Amino acid sequence: MIVADNETSVDLLYYEAVAKTVVRIVSEKSDEPLSVGVHGDWGAGKSSVLMMVEEACENDDRTLCIRFNGWLFQGFDDAKTVLIETIVEELVKSRSGSQKVKDQAKKLWRRIDWMKAARKAGSYGVTLATGIPTPETLSDIRDAAATIMANGAEALTPDNAKALVASAGSFLKEAEQESTPEQMHAFRQEFEELLEVADIDRLIVLVDDLDRCLPQTAIGTLEAIRLFLFVPRAAFVIAADEGMIEYSVRQHFPDLPTSTGPATYARNYLEKLIQVPFRLPALGYAETRIYVAMLLVLNECGEASREFETLVPIAREALQRPWTGPGLDRPTLTKAFGTIPDAVERALDIAYRIAPILTDGSRGNPRQIKRFINTMAMRLAIAEERGFADELNLGVLAKIMLAERFAPEVFDTLARGAAETGHSAELDALEANAAAAKPDNAAASAGARATGDKKPASIPDLPEWPNVEWAKRWAAISPSLSEVDLRPYVFVSRDRRGGYGAQAQLGELDELLSKLMGPPLQVRQVSAEIKRLTSVEAEQLFDALRTKVADVEDLREEPPGIHGLAAICQEHTFLQASLVKFFKDLPAKKLGPWVVTGWGGAFTEAEPAADYGALLADWSDRNDNSSLSAAAKAVGKVASLGKRGGR
């Protein structure tokens, strides 16, 4: 279940909208020089946007897209000339059958050779002024000497030595006599002529990974781009983290004042260079939930699978207006699939559990989300290989990993405390503190009334953690860890030696969720409220109740929330198939008889009812849970007698 962390044209975040907007802007201004910035943190998806821009232009013969990654050339050559050489090479390659293009390119190669010569001339100038050869000068002398020696010792004559000196002298003289402004002006004019003879309406240079380069390479690349900003029909799309580029500018110009007016010099430099900035936003809760589900389905089923291909348009439609709902909803999926595939159902379940934690914890960064999923997948795989995967609860693991990633002192404290008994006194105090801080919590109040518990007399003291407020918010996330044996989770997280999640907020539905966790009579009293729920609200409550049931340690006793699940499925029939799949995923050897009784009203649709009947038959034949088997057989006999009586 490892998710590849590479740039991709498979759009799971609906960044195609950004790519198409970039292409439209570049096309509308096709006769003007243009620079577009695609900004975002590392891992935000900038490289994928560039790939989508390239794909959008690949069928247009009069538009040429060129990819340039300065990071690949770092340390091998001068960044400025490498970029210019790459552009000219790709232009010639795209019109390899045109002699006019080749002839015009020769003029530009001479200009590029002059740039290299001018750069080397600077090195020779240092040598002549100081008497100390620079590394570049030494390299040139070595190459010249190697050429002479290749012809034998007799070639090393005074005349050859004089010729070498004369050659170097003419080289220096030529470099000194050339006017840099004239060379730059001529380069732009000849490059414009190259675009003309190549019959190209728009040249688009996609510059990637600039924020990974060292300051010298980043500035050299930007200076080369500046050379083209006065050339019509040339456009640059630059993907970079603004903060890293500003850092490069500060390092390159250390003597500049910090700021001028309302903006820094570094910011002014960047804004002067980039005319149209785009910023990739952080993912919100609904977007994160969709992204996680899509990643899991893609990983399990493949890009060409029916499951993934069917999900893509549904996800894109949901991503168009992510503020209107929680993401992928089951009514839409049921309409598209008929019966929601198991892989999709599993992905929705996992996404529901970890998306609230990841939204704030990862600050909506796609790469961080991938890393979180991959780390969790690796730990589950290790647990499976060691034979204790069934002891790990996904919600508990995700919550612990959140502390490990964003509050290591909290994780270390609970890990030390749980080493012997599996429980941490500091964690108990932390969760008690978080619970005491929410006296009006409806669910907590209902639980206290049902059990007769009283509020703690005092709020426990907490360790002096540097981010104790984060720790209290983290402790309030479901599920509670105070009754969980933490040892298997700490064991599987042993590789860690060396904002914050937020529980999905149901808002006005919190009170109804609390009532649905109660006894049958209390659930029946809110039947009218259940009936009035929209499909999105019903699904949110279904997922919340299902998660609470799955988190229960002992499933031999009827868990709270079961009657609420039945009531929701009775009124909102599209959830019945998901309920059957949920029962299938529960560990049958740990289930009590409650799972086979009282579900007649919950399965009113023919297909879910038939699937539940098949599940009953499977349970009745089990040898590892006698009470479940006996109860399932009894229900089967009653159903059989009912059918005969009906005939």
Side-chain angles (χ1 to χ4, degrees), residues 144-165:
T147 301
I148 293 175
M149 293 301 294
N151 295 320
E154 65 276 6
L156 192 57
T157 65
D159 290 338
N160 284 340
K162 289 180 181 179
L164 175 61
V165 172

Side-chain angles (χ1 to χ4, degrees), residues 188-203:
R188 291 192 183 105
Q189 183 175 349
E190 290 171 2
F191 185 80
E192 186 177 346
E193 292 171 2
L194 177 61
L195 293 179
E196 186 70 32
V197 298
D199 199 23
I200 290 175
D201 289 338
R202 194 49 142 167
L203 169 70

Side-chain angles (χ1 to χ4, degrees), residues 177-397:
Q177 288 177 348
E178 295 288 354
S179 166
T180 300
E182 290 178 0
Q183 284 284 347
M184 295 298 99
H185 178 74
F187 175 86
R188 291 192 183 105
Q189 183 175 349
E190 290 171 2
F191 185 80
E192 186 177 346
E193 292 171 2
L194 177 61
L195 293 179
E196 186 70 32
V197 298
D199 199 23
I200 290 175
D201 289 338
R202 194 49 142 167
L203 169 70
I204 304 175
V205 183
L206 308 173
V207 181
D208 200 7
D209 284 339
L210 199 59
D211 47 11
R212 294 190 181 189
C213 296
L214 295 174
Q216 182 179 357
T217 303
I219 295 299
T221 304
L222 292 174
E223 290 296 304
I225 293 171
R226 188 165 56 86
L227 180 63
F228 290 92
L229 288 185
F230 298 97
V231 178
R233 292 185 285 182
F236 285 79
V237 182
I238 305 165
D241 178 3
E242 299 155 292
M244 291 301 296
I245 299 303
E246 289 185 35
Y247 169 78
S248 297
V249 174
R250 290 195 301 271
Q251 294 298 308
H252 192 72
F253 303 108
D255 297 330
L256 283 176
T258 303
S259 62
T260 171
T264 64
Y265 276 104
R267 170 63 65 172
N268 287 337
Y269 179 94
L270 189 61
E271 291 180 352
K272 181 71 173 178
L273 187 71
I274 295 177
Q275 298 161 313
V276 183
F278 281 85
R279 174 112 192 141
L280 299 181
L283 305 184
Y285 165 68
E287 294 160 308
T288 300
R289 187 180 180 191
I290 294 171
Y291 186 51
V292 171
M294 293 293 288
L295 284 174
L296 295 175
V297 173
L298 173 64
N299 187 69
E300 181 173 349
C301 302
E303 183 179 345
S305 65
R306 170 179 173 264
E307 290 87 349
F308 184 75
E309 289 183 344
T310 304
L311 271 180
V312 168
I314 299 173
R316 288 189 176 183
E317 185 175 352
L319 286 168
Q320 288 178 341
R321 294 176 177 81
W323 61 88
T324 60
L328 299 171
D329 63 276
R330 285 183 177 84
T332 303
L333 295 178
T334 301
K335 183 179 179 181
F337 286 106
T339 299
I340 300 177
D342 290 343
V344 177
E345 188 65 54
R346 283 192 296 271
L348 291 175
D349 181 40
I350 294 174
Y352 176 80
R353 288 169 176 267
I354 70 175
I357 293 175
L358 283 177
T359 300
D360 290 335
S362 67
R363 301 189 181 186
N365 184 284
R367 176 169 294 154
Q368 293 298 324
I369 292 171
K370 286 182 180 178
R371 289 175 63 86
F372 190 96
I373 292 174
N374 285 342
T375 302
M376 185 168 62
M378 286 296 297
R379 291 178 177 178
L380 289 171
I382 292 171
E384 185 175 354
E385 289 295 328
R386 287 182 172 269
F388 65 90
D390 59 343
E391 298 179 35
L392 296 181
N393 177 285
L394 193 61
V396 172
L397 178 61

Side-chain angles (χ1 to χ4, degrees), residues 556 588-596 616 618-634:
R556 295 191 178 277
K589 63 182 180 181
K590 297 181 179 181
L591 292 176
W594 60 267
V595 78
V596 302
L616 283 175
D618 179 66
W619 283 338
S620 66
D621 293 335
R622 298 191 68 90
N623 298 321
D624 56 355
N625 190 335
S626 57
S627 60
L628 176 64
S629 176
K633 287 177 181 176

Side-chain angles (χ1 to χ4, degrees), residues 519-587:
L521 179 60
Q522 182 173 310
V523 172
R524 285 196 293 271
Q525 290 173 344
V526 295
S527 59
E529 294 181 52
I530 297 173
K531 189 176 297 185
R532 286 195 298 268
L533 292 172
T534 66
S535 60
V536 170
E537 292 171 336
E539 185 173 0
Q540 287 181 281
L541 286 170
F542 175 86
D543 281 332
L545 288 169
R546 183 175 61 172
T547 298
K548 290 181 179 296
V549 172
D551 289 339
V552 171
E553 290 292 323
D554 185 8
L555 289 173
R556 295 191 178 277
E557 298 295 328
E558 182 179 272
I562 281 296
H563 297 284
L565 277 175
I568 289 177
C569 290
Q570 186 172 1
E571 297 294 344
H572 300 272
T573 57
F574 72 92
L575 293 168
Q576 293 180 11
S578 297
L579 182 59
V580 176
K581 289 177 182 176
F582 173 57
F583 284 160
K584 287 181 180 178
D585 291 338
L586 292 175

